[in-house]
Amino acid sequence: MLFHVRMDVRIPVDYDPQRADELKRIERERAQDLQRQGKWRHLWRIAGQYSNFSVFDVSDVQELHDIISTLPLFPFMDIEVAPLCRHPSSIHDDDR
Amino acid sequence: MLFHVRMDVRIPVDYDPQRADELKRIERERAQDLQRQGKWRHLWRIAGQYSNFSVFDVSDVQELHDIISTLPLFPFMDIEVAPLCRHPSSIHDDDR
Amino acid sequence: MLFHVRMDVRIPVDYDPQRADELKRIERERAQDLQRQGKWRHLWRIAGQYSNFSVFDVSDVQELHDIISTLPLFPFMDIEVAPLCRHPSSIHDDDR
Amino acid sequence: MLFHVRMDVRIPVDYDPQRADELKRIERERAQDLQRQGKWRHLWRIAGQYSNFSVFDVSDVQELHDIISTLPLFPFMDIEVAPLCRHPSSIHDDDR
Amino acid sequence: MLFHVRMDVRIPVDYDPQRADELKRIERERAQDLQRQGKWRHLWRIAGQYSNFSVFDVSDVQELHDIISTLPLFPFMDIEVAPLCRHPSSIHDDDR
Amino acid sequence: MLFHVRMDVRIPVDYDPQRADELKRIERERAQDLQRQGKWRHLWRIAGQYSNFSVFDVSDVQELHDIISTLPLFPFMDIEVAPLCRHPSSIHDDDR
Amino acid sequence: MLFHVRMDVRIPVDYDPQRADELKRIERERAQDLQRQGKWRHLWRIAGQYSNFSVFDVSDVQELHDIISTLPLFPFMDIEVAPLCRHPSSIHDDDR
Amino acid sequence: MLFHVRMDVRIPVDYDPQRADELKRIERERAQDLQRQGKWRHLWRIAGQYSNFSVFDVSDVQELHDIISTLPLFPFMDIEVAPLCRHPSSIHDDDR
Amino acid sequence: MLFHVRMDVRIPVDYDPQRADELKRIERERAQDLQRQGKWRHLWRIAGQYSNFSVFDVSDVQELHDIISTLPLFPFMDIEVAPLCRHPSSIHDDDR
Amino acid sequence: MLFHVRMDVRIPVDYDPQRADELKRIERERAQDLQRQGKWRHLWRIAGQYSNFSVFDVSDVQELHDIISTLPLFPFMDIEVAPLCRHPSSIHDDDR
């Protein structure tokens, strides 16, 4: 079950840099772990932005929410979620 | 070189259905041909919308524009393009 | 699996009223059939608007899209979809 | 009398976490109490967001306002209210 | 029970002027009848716009919707509805 | 001379509560005084919001601005002003 | 009594050019007549747009609405109105 | 060479009032000096807002930018600029 | 004197293709002539859009408006204009 | 490979002026260095705004992102990126 997610990170310019770095470090570990598990299928940087487009592959909506809402940078992010399904013109039965 | 594209199709409700069907048929062929060539890497339907999220893999911006602007449904579409690059937390060197 | 959907219907003022009535009649039958099946859990009119808020209960995203995109009024509607999950403060395990 | 409400919670990232936790704890109790009374009919988390869609069942507009404006997180929320009524295609006389 | 409503009328410039005049004539009669009944408490023109701000006084949400959705110009209008209640700084118990 | 005004109050969540209460107290006195003078004709709370819709009855634009811009909560408010005039379908010569 | 008005003219591309020219001719005469009367104090073209910024000097809101709503191009225009008053830093008592 | 400018001033509610007053005092002097030089042709308060509409008469774009960007309140303002030219229906050759 | 312009072309899908082609042909000639004169300094296609970013170099605002408003596709375009000046970090005295 | 970029700089009004000046100084050096290398082809100030329009000429999207995201003022900027290609009406094969 695929979901398209856009995340825009906004860290206040006067936020403590050490805490920010620590949050980013844990976020990276978390993201890489989820990628290795196959939950976070795609993760692209949007050029020129502190933002990403991602595709998540989860068993249900609850799992999607649990993943996103426990990311260390979640309180700093604007997030848009769109459920995806097979496009009738896709050549793949299952485009992950 | 990857580009993220959102396409929203808006066909007027009084548009000739036969011409619309013919345009959609050619569009599908064109989309599948481009997928087979590896140019149109991903093509997902956004659930509940006559819209898709796509990822194109092209040699340069000109090729991207030539592909999109010659799609049969191009005159009916609102299109948003975002250039993508590697995310520093990606576990892939090249996430296509 | 629950999805929240907002539908805004926009029928052009010069659209043939008989065709519109026929589409609305089939739409109503379709909507009632889906409610009886338990797929379309809630259907509320937004006061003062030709719009509704709905909650769909489907087995996956594909089913949601198939239902919405085959509604007779689909070509006349602006649609917003949001996936729902359990709220931690809900007193229900499963609020349908 | 039903009202559809969307609440988006925005707690500043530098807000005291203990005070935030205390506010959330009271908010949860309040929400559960109102659900038990049947005033807060539905409460769903919007996946990927610190937001909910809710349906309130109140005796009049004043009661709706009194409930929402005294929630502990009210000063942190963006709120949208839409009055609901029976949809002519609903199979329920009274869809709560 | 008071509701604040904004109505923006948009008649296509090529719409048959006689039909438009007939619709406006019936709309005016309807509006005046509802004012005399005390349902349509206030009706102001927004200067420079084909728009009005109105205050409706109805027994419930259903009545509000039935009134608005049966106005002859309803298919030509963009409508915004906001439920009103007593303002704590009002000097009136019941500001109609 | 009537003006429709919407005021949305946004007090930062970390603003000193005592100063806020004092400002609100003076604001209320000021609002009630202006109502008694007949300048602030209507004042309604928008349900679920820290917002109001108001109708002012002033001798000219300058008086409107002087009233609004000297309200104690003016620095905390987003304000929209629309000049009103008689609606041709109104049954009142002078709807105040 | 001054009002700032922005007018954006949108004539459909398939509108009969002769009727459009006739409307524009009458609009120009009307606009020039109102300027000579001192009611339409300023009239500037916004560069690159089929739009203008205007300043009207009228005796009350009703007169403003009567002028704007009877312009021949009124049905083709999007209009924004803002009431103006003396700026405390102006060197003029009465900046017309 | 005329430019239409809208300035919206937003001073944080916790900004030091003495510094704000000092900035406003210098801003006023600067604005009056530019008006006397004929550079700042019109300056109107938008009623109900901490905002103005202005018309500048400068020799080129650089001069416009130098004037605006050195205003003491520039860091607190949202600014919109539109270049103006003669309207074909104006009765003035040069409407300043 | 430089102006940055964005043009978005929207030709209705049922517009006569021969007339559209003729308009585009004249538009191209006009655009190339203006480029040769040095008035239209830059003309870029925005990838994936029927849109361009342009930089015009004109003697005054009136010339800019005369050029844009007489383009054959002007009635089909949404246009945004921004006056440009030298950036203090530019290494060019005059970046054309 | 050309990209059009808009940058809007927003430095909080209470940000330490010395740190801001230091960031601006390094930003200027960086920008001038990139201009000398031919990467930052155009850099224009948008009149009246703390904003610029820029054109970057880079070998790929990654280089674009690396340049923008390491600018000292990056955390203070809202950024929009649009990929550019040759316009069919351009008289240049390669408009840089």
Side-chain angles (χ1 to χ4, degrees):
Chain A
M1 178 168 279
L2 300 180
F3 291 88
H4 180 278
V5 178
R6 177 183 175 134
M7 303 180 191
D8 295 286
V9 187
R10 302 179 196 284
I11 298 176
V13 290
D14 56 358
Y15 197 79
D16 175 34
Q18 280 193 312
R19 286 177 61 197
D21 284 349
E22 180 63 7
L23 288 172
K24 289 178 198 172
R25 194 186 57 73
I26 306 174
E27 176 98 5
R28 187 177 308 114
E29 278 175 21
R30 190 81 212 289
Q32 293 184 340
D33 192 37
L34 287 159
Q35 288 173 81
R36 277 185 219 102
Q37 293 173 45
K39 307 281 189 195
W40 198 326
R41 303 293 298 190
H42 297 286
L43 171 55
W44 296 289
R45 172 66 76 216
I46 306 175
Q49 317 269 344
Y50 192 175
S51 303
N52 69 67
F53 281 124
S54 290
V55 175
F56 285 87
D57 184 0
V58 290
S59 55
D60 59 14
V61 176
Q62 190 66 50
E63 187 181 20
L64 175 74
H65 183 70
D66 292 346
I67 287 172
I68 293 176
S69 64
T70 57
L71 291 173
L73 292 175
F74 179 68
F76 301 83
M77 294 199 288
D78 286 342
I79 288 177
E80 290 174 51
V81 173
L84 297 177
C85 55
R86 193 180 173 276
H87 194 285
S89 299
S90 175
I91 58 172
H92 304 290
D93 277 347
D94 189 13
D95 180 355
R96 291 163 198 245
Chain B
M1 179 168 278
L2 300 179
F3 291 88
H4 181 278
V5 177
R6 179 183 174 134
M7 304 182 189
D8 295 286
V9 187
R10 302 181 194 282
I11 299 176
V13 289
D14 56 357
Y15 197 79
D16 176 34
Q18 282 194 313
R19 285 177 61 197
D21 284 349
E22 180 63 9
L23 288 171
K24 289 177 198 172
R25 194 187 55 75
I26 307 175
E27 176 97 6
R28 186 178 309 115
E29 281 176 18
R30 190 80 211 292
Q32 293 185 339
D33 191 38
L34 287 159
Q35 286 173 81
R36 277 185 219 100
Q37 293 173 45
K39 307 279 191 199
W40 197 327
R41 303 292 298 188
H42 297 286
L43 170 57
W44 295 289
R45 174 64 79 215
I46 306 175
Q49 317 269 346
Y50 193 176
S51 304
N52 70 66
F53 282 123
S54 291
V55 175
F56 286 88
D57 184 0
V58 290
S59 55
D60 58 16
V61 176
Q62 189 67 50
E63 187 181 21
L64 175 75
H65 184 71
D66 292 346
I67 287 173
I68 294 176
S69 64
T70 58
L71 291 174
L73 291 175
F74 179 69
F76 301 82
M77 293 198 290
D78 287 342
I79 288 176
E80 288 174 51
V81 173
L84 297 177
C85 54
R86 193 178 173 280
H87 193 285
S89 299
S90 177
I91 58 171
H92 305 288
D93 278 347
D94 189 14
D95 180 355
R96 292 165 197 242
Chain C
M1 179 169 276
L2 300 180
F3 290 88
H4 181 278
V5 178
R6 179 183 174 134
M7 305 182 189
D8 295 286
V9 187
R10 303 180 194 282
I11 299 176
V13 290
D14 56 358
Y15 197 78
D16 177 34
Q18 281 195 313
R19 286 178 60 198
D21 284 349
E22 180 63 8
L23 289 171
K24 289 178 199 172
R25 194 187 56 74
I26 307 174
E27 176 97 5
R28 186 177 308 115
E29 280 176 18
R30 191 80 212 291
Q32 293 184 339
D33 192 38
L34 287 159
Q35 287 173 81
R36 275 185 222 103
Q37 293 173 45
K39 307 280 190 198
W40 198 326
R41 303 292 298 190
H42 297 286
L43 170 56
W44 295 288
R45 172 65 78 217
I46 306 174
Q49 317 269 346
Y50 193 175
S51 305
N52 70 66
F53 282 123
S54 292
V55 175
F56 286 87
D57 184 1
V58 291
S59 55
D60 59 15
V61 176
Q62 190 67 50
E63 187 182 20
L64 175 75
H65 184 70
D66 292 346
I67 287 173
I68 294 176
S69 65
T70 59
L71 291 174
L73 292 175
F74 179 69
F76 301 82
M77 292 198 291
D78 287 343
I79 288 177
E80 289 174 52
V81 173
L84 297 177
C85 54
R86 192 177 173 280
H87 193 285
S89 300
S90 177
I91 58 171
H92 304 289
D93 277 348
D94 188 13
D95 180 355
R96 292 166 197 239
Chain D
M1 178 168 276
L2 301 179
F3 291 88
H4 181 278
V5 178
R6 177 183 175 134
M7 303 181 190
D8 296 286
V9 188
R10 302 178 195 285
I11 297 176
V13 291
D14 56 358
Y15 196 80
D16 176 34
Q18 280 193 312
R19 284 176 62 196
D21 284 349
E22 179 64 7
L23 289 172
K24 289 178 199 172
R25 193 186 56 75
I26 307 175
E27 175 98 5
R28 187 177 309 114
E29 279 175 20
R30 189 81 212 289
Q32 293 185 339
D33 191 38
L34 288 159
Q35 287 173 81
R36 277 185 220 104
Q37 294 173 43
K39 307 280 189 196
W40 198 326
R41 302 293 298 191
H42 297 287
L43 170 56
W44 295 289
R45 173 65 77 215
I46 306 174
Q49 316 270 344
Y50 192 176
S51 304
N52 68 67
F53 282 124
S54 291
V55 175
F56 286 87
D57 185 0
V58 289
S59 55
D60 58 14
V61 176
Q62 189 67 49
E63 187 181 20
L64 176 74
H65 183 70
D66 292 346
I67 287 173
I68 294 176
S69 65
T70 57
L71 291 173
L73 292 175
F74 179 69
F76 302 83
M77 294 199 287
D78 287 341
I79 288 177
E80 290 174 51
V81 173
L84 297 177
C85 54
R86 194 180 172 277
H87 194 285
S89 300
S90 177
I91 58 171
H92 304 289
D93 277 347
D94 189 12
D95 181 354
R96 292 164 196 241
Chain E
M1 179 169 276
L2 300 180
F3 290 88
H4 181 278
V5 178
R6 179 183 174 135
M7 305 182 189
D8 295 286
V9 187
R10 303 180 195 283
I11 298 177
V13 290
D14 57 358
Y15 196 79
D16 177 35
Q18 280 194 313
R19 285 178 62 198
D21 284 350
E22 180 63 7
L23 289 171
K24 289 178 200 172
R25 193 186 57 75
I26 307 174
E27 176 97 6
R28 187 177 309 116
E29 280 175 18
R30 190 81 212 290
Q32 294 184 338
D33 191 38
L34 287 158
Q35 288 173 79
R36 275 184 220 104
Q37 293 174 44
K39 307 280 190 197
W40 197 326
R41 303 292 299 190
H42 296 286
L43 171 56
W44 294 289
R45 172 65 77 217
I46 306 174
Q49 317 269 344
Y50 193 177
S51 305
N52 69 66
F53 281 122
S54 292
V55 175
F56 286 87
D57 184 0
V58 291
S59 54
D60 59 14
V61 176
Q62 191 66 51
E63 187 181 22
L64 175 75
H65 184 70
D66 292 345
I67 287 173
I68 294 176
S69 65
T70 58
L71 291 174
L73 292 175
F74 178 69
F76 301 82
M77 293 198 289
D78 287 343
I79 288 177
E80 289 173 53
V81 173
L84 298 177
C85 53
R86 191 176 175 281
H87 193 285
S89 301
S90 177
I91 57 170
H92 304 290
D93 277 347
D94 188 13
D95 180 356
R96 292 167 195 239
Chain F
M1 180 169 276
L2 300 179
F3 290 87
H4 181 279
V5 177
R6 178 183 174 134
M7 305 180 189
D8 295 287
V9 187
R10 302 179 195 285
I11 298 176
V13 291
D14 55 358
Y15 196 79
D16 176 35
Q18 281 194 313
R19 284 176 62 198
D21 284 350
E22 178 64 8
L23 289 171
K24 289 177 199 173
R25 193 186 57 74
I26 308 175
E27 176 97 6
R28 187 177 308 115
E29 280 175 18
R30 190 81 212 288
Q32 293 185 338
D33 191 38
L34 287 159
Q35 287 173 79
R36 276 185 219 103
Q37 295 173 43
K39 307 281 188 197
W40 198 327
R41 302 292 298 190
H42 296 287
L43 170 57
W44 294 289
R45 172 66 77 216
I46 306 174
Q49 317 269 344
Y50 192 177
S51 304
N52 70 67
F53 281 124
S54 291
V55 175
F56 286 88
D57 184 0
V58 290
S59 54
D60 60 15
V61 176
Q62 190 67 49
E63 187 181 19
L64 175 74
H65 183 70
D66 292 346
I67 288 172
I68 295 176
S69 64
T70 57
L71 291 173
L73 292 175
F74 179 69
F76 301 83
M77 294 199 287
D78 287 342
I79 289 177
E80 289 174 52
V81 174
L84 298 177
C85 53
R86 193 180 172 277
H87 193 286
S89 300
S90 176
I91 57 171
H92 304 289
D93 277 347
D94 189 13
D95 181 354
R96 292 167 195 239
Chain G
M1 179 170 277
L2 300 180
F3 290 88
H4 180 278
V5 178
R6 179 183 174 134
M7 304 181 189
D8 295 286
V9 187
R10 303 181 193 282
I11 298 176
V13 291
D14 56 358
Y15 196 79
D16 176 35
Q18 281 194 311
R19 283 177 62 196
D21 285 350
E22 180 63 8
L23 288 172
K24 289 178 199 171
R25 193 186 56 74
I26 306 175
E27 176 97 7
R28 186 178 308 115
E29 279 176 18
R30 191 79 213 289
Q32 293 185 339
D33 191 38
L34 287 159
Q35 287 173 80
R36 276 185 220 104
Q37 293 173 45
K39 307 279 189 198
W40 198 326
R41 303 293 299 189
H42 296 286
L43 170 56
W44 295 289
R45 173 65 80 217
I46 305 175
Q49 316 270 345
Y50 193 177
S51 304
N52 70 66
F53 282 123
S54 291
V55 175
F56 285 87
D57 184 0
V58 291
S59 53
D60 59 15
V61 176
Q62 191 66 50
E63 186 180 22
L64 176 74
H65 183 70
D66 293 345
I67 287 173
I68 293 175
S69 65
T70 58
L71 291 174
L73 292 175
F74 179 69
F76 301 83
M77 295 199 289
D78 287 343
I79 288 177
E80 289 173 52
V81 173
L84 298 177
C85 54
R86 194 177 173 279
H87 194 287
S89 301
S90 176
I91 57 170
H92 303 290
D93 278 346
D94 188 14
D95 180 355
R96 293 165 194 242
Chain H
M1 178 169 278
L2 300 180
F3 290 87
H4 181 278
V5 178
R6 178 183 174 134
M7 304 181 189
D8 295 286
V9 187
R10 303 180 195 284
I11 299 176
V13 291
D14 55 358
Y15 197 79
D16 176 35
Q18 281 194 312
R19 283 178 61 198
D21 284 349
E22 178 65 7
L23 288 171
K24 289 178 198 172
R25 193 187 57 74
I26 307 175
E27 176 97 6
R28 186 177 310 115
E29 279 175 20
R30 190 81 211 289
Q32 293 185 339
D33 191 37
L34 287 159
Q35 288 173 80
R36 277 186 219 101
Q37 293 173 44
K39 306 281 188 195
W40 198 327
R41 302 292 298 189
H42 296 287
L43 170 56
W44 294 290
R45 172 66 77 216
I46 306 175
Q49 318 268 346
Y50 192 176
S51 305
N52 70 66
F53 282 124
S54 292
V55 175
F56 285 87
D57 184 1
V58 290
S59 54
D60 59 14
V61 175
Q62 190 67 50
E63 187 181 19
L64 176 74
H65 183 70
D66 292 346
I67 287 173
I68 293 176
S69 64
T70 57
L71 291 174
L73 292 175
F74 179 69
F76 301 83
M77 294 198 289
D78 286 343
I79 288 176
E80 289 175 51
V81 174
L84 298 177
C85 54
R86 193 178 172 279
H87 193 285
S89 300
S90 176
I91 58 171
H92 304 290
D93 277 347
D94 188 13
D95 180 355
R96 293 167 195 240
Chain I
M1 179 168 279
L2 299 180
F3 290 87
H4 180 277
V5 178
R6 178 182 175 135
M7 303 181 189
D8 295 286
V9 187
R10 303 182 194 283
I11 298 176
V13 290
D14 56 358
Y15 197 79
D16 176 35
Q18 282 194 312
R19 284 177 62 197
D21 284 349
E22 179 64 8
L23 288 172
K24 289 177 198 172
R25 193 187 56 74
I26 306 175
E27 176 97 6
R28 186 178 308 114
E29 279 177 18
R30 191 79 213 291
Q32 293 185 338
D33 191 38
L34 286 159
Q35 287 172 81
R36 277 184 219 101
Q37 293 173 44
K39 308 277 190 199
W40 198 326
R41 302 293 297 188
H42 296 287
L43 171 56
W44 295 289
R45 173 65 79 216
I46 305 175
Q49 317 269 346
Y50 192 176
S51 304
N52 70 67
F53 282 124
S54 291
V55 175
F56 286 88
D57 184 0
V58 290
S59 54
D60 59 15
V61 176
Q62 190 65 49
E63 186 180 22
L64 175 75
H65 184 71
D66 293 346
I67 287 173
I68 293 176
S69 65
T70 58
L71 290 174
L73 292 175
F74 178 69
F76 301 82
M77 294 199 288
D78 287 342
I79 288 176
E80 289 173 52
V81 173
L84 298 177
C85 54
R86 194 178 172 279
H87 194 286
S89 300
S90 176
I91 58 171
H92 304 289
D93 278 347
D94 188 14
D95 180 355
R96 293 166 196 241
Chain J
M1 178 169 280
L2 299 179
F3 291 88
H4 180 278
V5 178
R6 177 182 175 135
M7 303 181 191
D8 295 286
V9 187
R10 301 179 196 283
I11 298 177
V13 291
D14 56 358
Y15 196 78
D16 175 34
Q18 279 193 313
R19 284 177 62 197
D21 284 349
E22 179 63 7
L23 288 171
K24 289 178 198 172
R25 194 187 56 73
I26 307 174
E27 177 97 6
R28 186 177 309 115
E29 279 175 20
R30 191 81 212 289
Q32 293 184 339
D33 191 38
L34 287 159
Q35 288 174 79
R36 277 185 219 101
Q37 293 173 46
K39 306 281 188 197
W40 198 327
R41 303 293 299 190
H42 297 287
L43 171 56
W44 295 290
R45 172 66 76 217
I46 305 174
Q49 317 268 345
Y50 192 176
S51 304
N52 70 66
F53 282 123
S54 291
V55 175
F56 285 88
D57 183 2
V58 290
S59 54
D60 59 15
V61 175
Q62 191 66 50
E63 187 181 20
L64 176 74
H65 184 70
D66 292 345
I67 287 173
I68 293 176
S69 64
T70 56
L71 291 173
L73 292 175
F74 179 69
F76 301 83
M77 293 198 289
D78 287 342
I79 288 176
E80 290 173 51
V81 173
L84 297 176
C85 55
R86 192 178 174 279
H87 193 285
S89 300
S90 175
I91 58 171
H92 304 290
D93 277 347
D94 189 12
D95 180 356
R96 291 164 197 242

